Coordinates of all heavy atoms in Angstrom, one line a residue:
M386 N 0.8 -1.2 0.0 CA -0.1 0.0 0.1 C 0.9 1.2 0.0 O 1.7 1.5 0.8 CB -0.9 0.0 1.3 CG -1.9 1.1 1.4 SD -3.2 0.7 0.2 CE -4.2 2.1 0.6
P387 N 0.7 2.1 -0.9 CA 1.5 3.3 -1.0 C 1.1 4.4 -0.2 O 1.9 5.5 0.0 CB 1.4 3.8 -2.5 CG 0.1 3.2 -2.8 CD -0.2 1.9 -2.1
R388 N 0.2 4.3 0.6 CA -0.3 5.4 1.5 C -0.3 4.9 3.0 O -0.6 3.7 3.3 CB -1.7 5.8 1.3 CG -1.9 6.7 0.0 CD -3.3 7.2 0.0 NE -3.4 8.0 -1.3 CZ -4.6 8.6 -1.6 NH1 -5.6 8.4 -0.8 NH2 -4.7 9.4 -2.7
F389 N 0.2 5.8 3.8 CA 0.2 5.4 5.3 C -0.3 6.6 6.1 O -0.3 7.7 5.8 CB 1.8 5.3 5.7 CG 2.4 4.2 5.1 CD1 3.0 4.1 3.8 CD2 2.5 2.9 5.8 CE1 3.6 3.1 3.2 CE2 3.1 1.9 5.2 CZ 3.6 1.8 4.0
N390 N -0.9 6.2 7.3 CA -1.5 7.1 8.2 C -0.4 7.4 9.3 O 0.2 6.5 9.8 CB -2.6 6.3 8.8 CG -3.6 6.0 7.9 OD1 -4.4 6.8 7.3 ND2 -3.8 4.8 7.6
V391 N -0.2 8.6 9.5 CA 0.8 9.1 10.3 C 0.1 9.9 11.5 O -0.5 10.9 11.3 CB 1.9 10.0 9.8 CG1 3.0 10.5 10.6 CG2 2.5 9.1 8.6
E392 N 0.5 9.5 12.8 CA 0.0 10.3 13.9 C 1.1 11.0 14.5 O 2.3 10.7 14.7 CB -0.6 9.3 15.0 CG -1.2 10.0 16.0 CD -1.7 9.1 17.2 OE1 -1.3 7.9 17.2 OE2 -2.5 9.6 18.1
N393 N 0.7 12.3 14.7 CA 1.7 13.2 15.5 C 1.6 12.9 17.1 O 0.5 13.0 17.7 CB 1.3 14.7 15.2 CG 2.3 15.6 16.0 OD1 2.9 15.3 17.0 ND2 2.7 16.6 15.4
P394 N 2.6 12.3 17.6 CA 2.5 11.8 19.0 C 2.3 13.0 19.9 O 1.8 12.7 21.1 CB 3.8 11.0 19.2 CG 4.8 11.5 18.3 CD 4.0 11.9 17.1
K395 N 2.7 14.1 19.5 CA 2.5 15.4 20.5 C 1.1 15.8 20.5 O 0.5 16.2 21.6 CB 3.5 16.3 20.2 CG 5.0 15.9 20.6 CD 6.0 17.0 20.3 CE 7.4 16.5 20.4 NZ 8.4 17.6 20.0
T396 N 0.5 15.8 19.3 CA -0.8 16.5 19.2 C -2.1 15.5 19.1 O -3.1 15.9 19.3 CB -0.9 17.4 17.9 OG1 -0.8 16.6 16.8 CG2 0.2 18.5 18.1
G397 N -1.8 14.2 18.7 CA -2.8 13.3 18.5 C -3.4 13.4 17.1 O -4.4 12.7 16.9
E398 N -2.9 14.4 16.3 CA -3.6 14.6 15.0 C -3.0 13.6 14.0 O -1.9 13.1 14.1 CB -3.3 16.1 14.5 CG -4.1 17.1 15.3 CD -3.8 18.5 14.8 OE1 -2.5 18.7 14.6 OE2 -4.6 19.2 14.6
W399 N -3.7 13.4 12.8 CA -3.3 12.5 11.8 C -3.1 13.2 10.5 O -3.6 14.2 10.2 CB -4.4 11.5 11.6 CG -4.5 10.5 12.8 CD1 -5.2 10.8 14.1 CD2 -3.9 9.4 13.1 NE1 -5.0 9.7 14.9 CE2 -4.2 8.8 14.3 CE3 -3.1 8.5 12.1 CZ2 -3.8 7.5 14.8 CZ3 -2.6 7.2 12.7 CH2 -2.9 6.9 13.9
R400 N -2.3 12.5 9.7 CA -2.0 13.0 8.3 C -1.7 11.8 7.4 O -1.3 10.8 7.9 CB -0.7 13.8 8.4 CG -0.7 14.9 7.2 CD 0.4 15.9 7.7 NE 0.4 16.9 6.6 CZ 1.4 17.9 6.5 NH1 2.3 17.9 7.5 NH2 1.4 18.8 5.7
C401 N -2.0 12.0 6.2 CA -1.7 10.9 5.1 C -0.4 11.1 4.4 O -0.2 12.2 3.9 CB -2.9 10.7 4.2 SG -2.8 9.2 3.2
F402 N 0.4 10.1 4.4 CA 1.7 10.2 3.7 C 1.6 9.2 2.5 O 1.2 8.1 2.7 CB 2.9 9.8 4.5 CG 4.3 9.9 3.9 CD1 4.9 11.0 4.0 CD2 4.8 8.7 3.4 CE1 6.2 11.1 3.3 CE2 6.0 8.8 2.8 CZ 6.7 10.0 2.8
S403 N 2.1 9.6 1.4 CA 2.2 8.8 0.1 C 3.6 8.5 -0.3 O 4.4 9.3 -0.4 CB 1.5 9.5 -1.0 OG 1.7 8.8 -2.3
T404 N 3.9 7.2 -0.4 CA 5.2 6.8 -0.8 C 5.4 7.0 -2.3 O 6.5 6.7 -2.8 CB 5.6 5.3 -0.4 OG1 4.5 4.5 -1.0 CG2 5.6 5.3 1.2
I405 N 4.3 7.2 -2.9 CA 4.4 7.6 -4.4 C 5.1 8.8 -4.7 O 5.9 9.0 -5.6 CB 2.9 7.5 -5.2 CG1 2.6 5.9 -5.1 CG2 3.1 7.9 -6.7 CD1 1.2 5.9 -5.7
V406 N 4.7 9.8 -4.0 CA 5.2 11.2 -4.1 C 6.3 11.5 -2.9 O 6.8 12.6 -3.0 CB 4.2 12.3 -4.3 CG1 3.3 12.1 -5.5 CG2 3.2 12.3 -3.0
D407 N 6.3 10.6 -2.0 CA 7.2 10.9 -0.9 C 6.8 12.1 -0.2 O 7.8 12.9 0.1 CB 8.7 10.7 -1.2 CG 9.1 9.2 -1.5 OD1 8.4 8.4 -1.1 OD2 10.2 9.1 -2.1
D408 N 5.7 12.4 0.0 CA 5.2 13.6 0.8 C 3.9 13.4 1.3 O 3.2 12.4 1.1 CB 5.2 14.8 -0.3 CG 5.6 16.2 0.3 OD1 5.5 16.1 1.7 OD2 5.8 17.0 -0.5
W409 N 3.3 14.5 2.1 CA 2.1 14.5 2.6 C 0.9 14.7 1.5 O 1.2 15.5 0.6 CB 1.9 15.6 3.7 CG 3.0 15.5 4.7 CD1 4.0 16.4 5.0 CD2 3.0 14.5 5.8 NE1 4.7 15.9 6.0 CE2 4.1 14.8 6.5 CE3 2.3 13.4 6.1 CZ2 4.5 14.2 7.7 CZ3 2.6 12.6 7.1 CH2 3.7 12.9 7.9
I410 N 0.0 14.2 1.6 CA -1.3 14.4 0.7 C -2.4 15.0 1.5 O -3.5 15.3 0.8 CB -1.6 13.1 -0.1 CG1 -2.1 12.0 0.8 CG2 -0.5 12.7 -0.9 CD1 -2.8 10.9 0.0
T411 N -2.3 15.2 2.8 CA -3.3 15.8 3.6 C -2.6 16.8 4.6 O -1.5 16.7 4.8 CB -4.3 15.0 4.3 OG1 -3.6 14.4 5.4 CG2 -4.9 13.9 3.5
D412 N -3.4 17.7 5.1 CA -2.9 18.4 6.2 C -3.2 17.7 7.6 O -4.0 16.6 7.4 CB -3.8 19.8 6.3 CG -3.4 20.7 5.2 OD1 -2.3 20.7 4.7 OD2 -4.4 21.4 4.8
W413 N -2.8 18.1 8.6 CA -2.9 17.6 9.9 C -4.5 17.7 10.3 O -5.0 18.8 10.0 CB -2.1 18.2 11.1 CG -0.7 17.8 10.8 CD1 0.2 18.6 10.5 CD2 0.0 16.5 11.2 NE1 1.5 17.9 10.6 CE2 1.3 16.6 11.0 CE3 -0.6 15.4 11.6 CZ2 2.2 15.6 11.1 CZ3 0.3 14.3 11.7 CH2 1.6 14.4 11.5
M414 N -5.1 16.6 10.9 CA -6.5 16.7 11.2 C -6.7 16.1 12.5 O -5.9 15.0 12.9 CB -7.4 15.9 10.2 CG -7.4 16.6 8.8 SD -8.4 15.5 7.8 CE -7.3 15.3 6.4
D415 N -7.6 16.5 13.4 CA -8.0 15.7 14.5 C -8.4 14.3 14.0 O -8.8 14.1 13.0 CB -9.0 16.4 15.4 CG -10.3 16.6 14.9 OD1 -11.0 15.8 14.3 OD2 -10.7 17.8 15.0
E416 N -8.5 13.3 14.9 CA -8.9 12.0 14.5 C -10.3 11.9 13.9 O -10.5 11.0 13.0 CB -8.7 11.0 15.7 CG -8.8 9.6 15.3 CD -8.3 8.5 16.4 OE1 -7.6 9.0 17.3 OE2 -8.6 7.4 16.4
E417 N -11.2 12.5 14.4 CA -12.6 12.4 14.0 C -12.7 13.0 12.5 O -13.3 12.3 11.7 CB -13.5 13.3 14.8 CG -15.0 13.2 14.4 CD -15.9 13.8 15.3 OE1 -15.6 14.0 16.5 OE2 -17.0 14.2 14.9
R418 N -12.0 14.1 12.3 CA -12.1 14.6 10.9 C -11.2 13.7 10.0 O -11.7 13.5 8.8 CB -11.4 16.1 10.9 CG -11.6 16.8 9.5 CD -11.3 18.2 9.7 NE -10.9 18.8 8.6 CZ -10.0 19.5 8.2 NH1 -9.1 19.8 9.1 NH2 -9.7 20.0 6.9
Y419 N -10.1 13.2 10.4 CA -9.3 12.3 9.7 C -10.1 11.1 9.1 O -10.1 10.7 8.0 CB -8.0 12.0 10.3 CG -6.9 11.3 9.3 CD1 -6.4 12.0 8.3 CD2 -6.7 10.0 9.6 CE1 -5.5 11.3 7.6 CE2 -5.8 9.3 8.8 CZ -5.2 10.0 7.7 OH -4.3 9.3 7.0
E420 N -10.9 10.6 10.1 CA -11.6 9.3 9.9 C -12.8 9.7 8.8 O -13.0 8.9 7.9 CB -12.4 8.7 11.2 CG -11.5 8.2 12.1 CD -11.0 6.8 11.6 OE1 -11.1 6.3 10.5 OE2 -10.3 6.0 12.4
Q421 N -13.3 10.9 8.9 CA -14.3 11.2 7.9 C -13.7 11.5 6.5 O -14.3 11.0 5.6 CB -14.8 12.7 8.3 CG -15.8 12.5 9.5 CD -16.2 13.9 10.1 OE1 -15.9 15.0 9.4 NE2 -17.1 13.9 10.9
W422 N -12.5 12.0 6.4 CA -11.8 12.1 5.2 C -11.4 10.7 4.6 O -11.6 10.4 3.4 CB -10.4 12.8 5.4 CG -9.5 12.8 4.1 CD1 -9.7 13.6 3.1 CD2 -8.5 11.9 3.8 NE1 -8.8 13.3 2.2 CE2 -8.0 12.3 2.6 CE3 -7.9 10.8 4.5 CZ2 -7.0 11.6 1.9 CZ3 -6.9 10.1 3.9 CH2 -6.4 10.6 2.6
R423 N -11.0 9.6 5.5 CA -10.7 8.3 5.0 C -12.0 7.7 4.4 O -11.9 7.1 3.4 CB -10.2 7.6 6.3 CG -8.7 7.9 6.6 CD -8.2 7.1 7.7 NE -8.6 5.8 7.9 CZ -8.1 4.7 7.1 NH1 -7.2 5.0 6.5 NH2 -8.6 3.5 7.5
K424 N -13.2 8.0 5.0 CA -14.4 7.3 4.6 C -14.6 7.9 3.2 O -15.1 7.2 2.4 CB -15.5 7.5 5.5 CG -15.4 6.7 6.7 CD -16.6 6.9 7.7 CE -16.4 6.0 9.0 NZ -17.3 6.3 10.0
L425 N -14.5 9.2 3.0 CA -14.7 9.8 1.7 C -13.8 9.3 0.6 O -14.2 9.0 -0.6 CB -14.6 11.4 1.7 CG -15.7 12.1 2.4 CD1 -15.4 13.6 2.6 CD2 -17.1 11.9 1.7
E426 N -12.6 9.2 1.1 CA -11.6 8.7 0.2 C -11.6 7.2 -0.2 O -11.3 6.9 -1.4 CB -10.1 9.0 0.8 CG -9.0 8.8 0.0 CD -8.7 9.8 -1.2 OE1 -9.5 10.9 -1.2 OE2 -7.8 9.6 -2.0
Y427 N -11.9 6.3 0.8 CA -11.7 4.9 0.7 C -13.1 4.2 0.6 O -13.2 3.0 0.4 CB -10.8 4.3 1.7 CG -9.4 5.0 1.7 CD1 -9.0 5.5 2.9 CD2 -8.7 4.9 0.6 CE1 -7.7 6.1 2.9 CE2 -7.4 5.5 0.6 CZ -7.0 6.1 1.9 OH -5.6 6.7 1.8
G428 N -14.1 4.9 1.1 CA -15.4 4.2 1.2 C -15.7 3.9 2.6 O -15.0 3.9 3.5
R429 N -17.1 3.9 2.8 CA -17.5 3.7 4.3 C -17.1 2.4 4.9 O -17.2 2.4 6.1 CB -19.1 3.9 4.3 CG -19.8 2.8 3.6 CD -21.2 3.0 3.5 NE -21.8 1.9 2.9 CZ -23.2 1.7 2.7 NH1 -23.9 2.7 3.3 NH2 -23.6 0.7 2.1
H430 N -16.7 1.5 4.2 CA -16.3 0.2 4.9 C -14.8 0.0 5.1 O -14.3 -0.9 5.6 CB -16.8 -1.0 4.0 CG -18.2 -0.9 3.8 ND1 -19.0 -1.3 4.8 CD2 -18.9 -0.9 2.6 CE1 -20.3 -1.4 4.3 NE2 -20.3 -1.1 3.1
C431 N -14.1 1.3 5.0 CA -12.7 1.2 5.5 C -12.5 1.0 6.8 O -13.3 1.2 7.7 CB -11.9 2.5 5.0 SG -12.4 4.0 6.0
S432 N -11.3 0.3 7.3 CA -11.2 0.0 8.6 C -10.8 1.3 9.3 O -10.4 2.3 8.7 CB -10.1 -1.1 8.7 OG -8.9 -0.6 8.3
P433 N -10.8 1.3 10.8 CA -10.4 2.5 11.5 C -8.9 2.7 11.3 O -8.2 1.8 11.1 CB -10.8 2.1 13.0 CG -11.8 0.9 12.8 CD -11.4 0.3 11.5
V434 N -8.5 4.0 11.5 CA -7.2 4.4 11.1 C -6.2 3.6 12.1 O -5.2 3.4 11.7 CB -7.1 6.0 11.3 CG1 -7.3 6.3 12.8 CG2 -5.7 6.3 10.8
R435 N -6.6 3.4 13.2 CA -5.7 2.7 14.2 C -5.6 1.2 13.8 O -4.6 0.6 14.3 CB -6.2 2.9 15.6 CG -6.2 4.3 16.1 CD -6.3 4.4 17.5 NE -6.3 5.9 17.9 CZ -5.2 6.5 18.2 NH1 -4.1 5.9 18.3 NH2 -5.3 7.8 18.6
K436 N -6.2 0.7 12.8 CA -6.1 -0.8 12.4 C -5.6 -0.7 11.0 O -5.6 -1.8 10.3 CB -7.4 -1.4 12.4 CG -7.8 -1.7 13.9 CD -9.2 -2.6 14.0 CE -9.5 -2.8 15.4 NZ -10.6 -3.7 15.6
S437 N -5.2 0.4 10.5 CA -4.7 0.6 9.0 C -3.3 0.7 8.9 O -2.7 0.9 10.0 CB -5.5 1.8 8.4 OG -6.9 1.6 8.4
N438 N -2.8 0.9 7.7 CA -1.3 1.1 7.4 C -0.9 2.4 8.2 O -1.4 3.5 8.1 CB -1.1 1.4 5.9 CG -1.2 0.1 5.2 OD1 -1.3 -1.0 5.7 ND2 -1.4 0.1 4.0
Q439 N 0.3 2.2 9.0 CA 0.8 3.3 9.6 C 2.1 3.5 9.5 O 2.8 2.5 9.2 CB 0.4 3.2 11.2 CG -1.1 3.3 11.6 CD -1.5 3.4 13.1 OE1 -0.5 3.8 13.8 NE2 -2.4 2.9 13.5
M440 N 2.7 4.7 9.7 CA 4.2 4.9 9.6 C 4.4 6.0 10.7 O 3.5 6.8 11.1 CB 4.5 5.6 8.3 CG 5.9 6.0 8.1 SD 6.3 6.8 6.5 CE 6.1 5.4 5.4
S441 N 5.5 6.0 11.2 CA 5.9 7.0 12.3 C 6.2 8.3 11.7 O 6.5 8.3 10.6 CB 7.1 6.4 13.1 OG 8.4 6.7 12.3
L442 N 6.0 9.2 12.5 CA 6.3 10.7 12.0 C 7.7 10.9 11.7 O 8.0 11.4 10.6 CB 5.8 11.6 13.1 CG 6.0 13.1 12.7 CD1 5.4 13.5 11.4 CD2 5.6 14.0 13.9
D443 N 8.6 10.3 12.5 CA 10.0 10.4 12.2 C 10.3 9.7 10.9 O 11.2 10.3 10.1 CB 10.9 9.7 13.3 CG 10.8 10.4 14.6 OD1 10.5 11.7 14.7 OD2 11.1 9.8 15.7
Q444 N 9.7 8.6 10.5 CA 10.1 8.0 9.3 C 9.6 8.7 8.1 O 10.2 8.9 7.0 CB 9.5 6.5 9.3 CG 9.7 5.8 8.1 CD 9.3 4.3 8.1 OE1 8.5 3.9 9.0 NE2 9.5 3.4 7.1
A445 N 8.4 9.2 8.2 CA 7.9 10.2 7.1 C 8.8 11.4 6.9 O 9.0 11.7 5.7 CB 6.5 10.5 7.4
E446 N 9.2 12.0 8.0 CA 9.9 13.1 7.8 C 11.3 12.8 7.3 O 12.0 13.6 6.4 CB 10.1 13.9 9.2 CG 8.8 14.5 9.6 CD 8.8 15.1 11.0 OE1 10.0 14.8 11.8 OE2 8.1 16.0 11.4
K447 N 11.9 11.7 7.5 CA 13.1 11.3 7.0 C 12.9 11.0 5.4 O 13.8 11.5 4.7 CB 13.7 10.1 7.7 CG 15.1 9.7 7.1 CD 15.6 8.3 7.8 CE 17.0 7.9 7.2 NZ 17.3 8.2 5.8
I448 N 11.8 10.4 5.1 CA 11.7 10.1 3.7 C 11.6 11.5 2.8 O 12.1 11.6 1.8 CB 10.4 9.3 3.5 CG1 10.7 7.8 4.0 CG2 10.0 9.2 1.9 CD1 9.5 7.0 4.0
I449 N 10.9 12.4 3.4 CA 10.7 13.7 2.7 C 12.1 14.4 2.6 O 12.4 15.0 1.7 CB 9.6 14.6 3.5 CG1 8.3 14.1 3.5 CG2 9.8 16.1 3.2 CD1 7.3 14.6 4.4
K450 N 13.0 14.4 3.7 CA 14.2 15.0 3.8 C 15.1 14.4 2.7 O 15.8 15.1 1.9 CB 14.8 15.0 5.0 CG 14.2 16.0 6.0 CD 14.8 15.9 7.4 CE 14.2 16.8 8.4 NZ 14.6 16.7 9.7
D451 N 15.1 13.1 2.6 CA 15.8 12.4 1.5 C 15.5 12.6 0.2 O 16.2 13.0 -0.6 CB 15.7 10.8 1.8 CG 16.4 10.3 3.0 OD1 17.2 11.2 3.6 OD2 16.2 9.2 3.5
R452 N 14.1 12.8 -0.1 CA 13.6 13.3 -1.4 C 14.0 14.6 -1.8 O 14.5 14.9 -2.9 CB 12.0 13.0 -1.4 CG 11.5 13.7 -2.7 CD 9.9 13.9 -2.7 NE 9.4 14.4 -1.7 CZ 9.5 15.9 -1.6 NH1 9.8 16.5 -2.5 NH2 8.7 16.3 -0.5
Q453 N 13.9 15.5 -0.9 CA 14.4 16.8 -1.1 C 15.8 17.0 -1.4 O 16.3 17.6 -2.2 CB 13.9 17.6 0.1 CG 12.5 17.9 0.3 CD 12.1 18.6 1.6 OE1 12.8 18.6 2.6 NE2 10.8 19.2 1.6
F454 N 16.6 16.2 -0.7 CA 18.1 16.3 -0.9 C 18.3 15.7 -2.2 O 19.2 16.4 -2.9 CB 18.8 15.3 0.1 CG 20.2 15.1 -0.1 CD1 21.1 16.2 0.4 CD2 20.8 14.0 -0.6 CE1 22.4 16.0 0.1 CE2 22.1 13.9 -0.9 CZ 23.0 14.9 -0.5
C455 N 17.7 14.6 -2.7 CA 17.9 14.2 -4.1 C 17.5 15.0 -5.1 O 18.0 15.1 -6.3 CB 17.2 12.7 -4.2 SG 17.9 11.3 -3.4
E456 N 16.4 15.8 -4.9 CA 15.9 16.8 -5.9 C 17.0 17.9 -6.1 O 16.9 18.5 -7.2 CB 14.6 17.3 -5.4 CG 13.5 16.3 -5.6 CD 12.1 16.8 -5.0 OE1 12.0 17.8 -4.3 OE2 11.1 16.2 -5.4
R457 N 17.8 18.2 -5.0 CA 18.7 19.3 -5.2 C 19.9 18.9 -5.9 O 20.6 19.8 -6.5 CB 19.2 19.7 -3.8 CG 18.2 20.5 -3.0 CD 18.7 21.1 -1.8 NE 18.1 20.0 -0.9 CZ 18.5 20.0 0.4 NH1 19.4 20.8 0.9 NH2 17.8 19.0 1.2
E458 N 20.2 17.7 -6.2 CA 21.4 17.2 -6.8 C 21.3 17.2 -8.3 O 20.2 17.2 -8.8 CB 21.8 15.8 -6.3 CG 22.3 15.7 -4.9 CD 22.7 14.4 -4.4 OE1 22.4 13.3 -5.2 OE2 23.4 14.3 -3.5

């Protein structure tokens, strides 16, 4: 799956990260709003975010930095 759900451990907000573009595809949202976005995006039968593909915030930020570094070269 090329998309991952990322939770900010400090704020409890969620954001969607895409490994296709190695970047965020949503803004930060509280969990309720993020679940609503997921239902619109994936359909009403999608599983809850806490049972779906997840990536750590640190890992997502590292991938973004690596992409930005490669784009400068």
